[in-house]
Amino acid sequence: HRVGVRRHDGSVPFENGRVLGLRCRLRRKMSQHLSTAGRQAEANASAEAALRDAEALLTQAPTAPVWGLLASCYQELDRFTDAIQAYSECIRLDPSEVEAFLGRALCLLAVDRPVDALRDASKAVELDPASPLALSARGKVRLGQGDFESAREDLLRALKADPDLLDARIDLATIRSEQGELAGAIEDLSRLLESHPGEDAARLARGVAYGRQAERRAALLERAARRTAGTRLGPLIRHAARIDRSIKGLAGDDPWD
């Protein structure tokens, strides 16, 4: 459910503060790499260490960039309510912080506040209309609201500016899946997974598309069995429908029992 947003550097006019900020950023980056590699326990440990650095840094210099850094650490750990509060403090201190609006929008979406999330994502686009990350975030929010056409427009604009935005590519494929373009969605996600095999969000989205494809095929077989009831083909098609549902893990109440 995240966009790879740019983060605040957390730099402050103290030598030890700069060291803390650098170490915090490195630990966050390491957490992201470990998570992508499927080493979630290690990723969480690295993210927790980054959070401790950010909290220590905040006691020295409670500036807008440091609040933003703290918020991003909370967000990395899925502590969305804490992240929202920290991003809000960052915005209070500096209302021009694009990344803070962007990060808060994604956290608001995660806690099921889509209207507020869209407001923040739109504010991020207003502050930086050319930002592919802001456009991608707003596209994700609009996707969550079911506004597929507006989401597609934002995501295509984001990818035009930065073709390597993985979340935007996954969200575009998700739109195709939601609109019934299952083969195309599966193809897009499979291509992405060839180059990024550790991208769990893409794997999940492809699994959903495969499930919908199987449901559609099973429904077609069941419909064909009903139409051929009483003929020699009827029992064969009915049997094929049952096998298909079983193989794809869709077993449920048999519509003929």
Side-chain angles (χ1 to χ4, degrees), residues 45-256:
S46 185
E48 290 281 3
L51 176 60
R52 290 194 293 273
D53 283 344
E55 289 173 335
L57 189 58
L58 190 68
T59 65
Q60 297 182 22
T63 62
V66 177
W67 276 107
L69 180 62
L70 178 67
S72 69
C73 290
Y74 283 136
Q75 185 178 358
E76 190 75 26
L77 290 165
D78 291 346
R79 293 174 56 177
F80 299 118
T81 299
D82 290 330
I84 289 168
Q85 293 174 352
Y87 278 129
S88 296
E89 183 61 18
C90 175
I91 291 168
R92 186 187 69 80
L93 293 170
D94 185 355
S96 67
E97 279 284 1
V98 176
E99 291 99 354
F101 281 106
L102 177 54
R104 191 171 70 174
L106 297 174
C107 293
L108 288 166
L109 185 63
V111 298
D112 199 24
R113 292 170 56 184
V115 175
D116 294 331
L118 181 58
R119 178 202 64 210
D120 273 6
S122 295
K123 181 64 176 179
V125 174
E126 176 187 326
L127 289 169
D128 189 356
S131 167
L133 293 167
L135 288 165
S136 179
R138 190 170 69 177
K140 182 179 291 291
V141 173
R142 285 173 162 171
L143 169 59
Q145 293 180 319
D147 185 358
F148 299 137
E149 292 310 314
S150 296
R152 188 196 303 273
E153 180 181 344
D154 279 342
L155 294 167
L156 288 173
R157 287 175 59 193
L159 286 171
K160 183 177 181 180
D162 184 354
D164 295 325
L165 279 179
L166 295 184
D167 283 277
R169 291 173 60 188
I170 293 168
D171 288 340
L172 268 179
T174 299
I175 290 173
R176 297 191 73 178
S177 177
E178 291 287 344
Q179 294 186 321
E181 301 175 33
L182 299 175
I186 290 169
E187 181 181 354
D188 290 346
L189 292 164
S190 296
R191 190 180 304 116
L192 187 151
L193 284 165
E194 286 176 3
S195 55
H196 299 84
E199 195 61 39
D200 289 340
R203 201 168 297 281
L204 176 61
R206 188 175 66 173
V208 171
Y210 272 134
R212 287 176 174 157
Q213 194 176 60
E215 288 175 345
R216 178 184 290 177
R217 183 167 56 249
L220 288 172
L221 284 169
E222 289 166 4
R223 190 178 305 125
R226 289 191 180 94
R227 288 177 178 174
T228 57
T231 72
R232 287 184 302 171
L233 290 177
L236 293 174
I237 294 177
R238 177 178 170 180
H239 184 60
R242 281 176 166 158
I243 292 175
D244 189 78
R245 291 177 65 83
S246 176
I247 290 173
K248 298 301 181 182
L250 297 171
D253 294 334
D254 193 314
W256 294 286

Side-chain angles (χ1 to χ4, degrees), residues 15-31:
E15 185 61 33
N16 57 344
R18 283 195 288 269
V19 171
L20 278 173
L22 176 61
R23 189 172 68 181
C24 179
R25 294 194 302 278
L26 288 174
R27 282 173 164 170
R28 284 201 59 259
K29 184 65 70 176
M30 178 62 69
S31 172

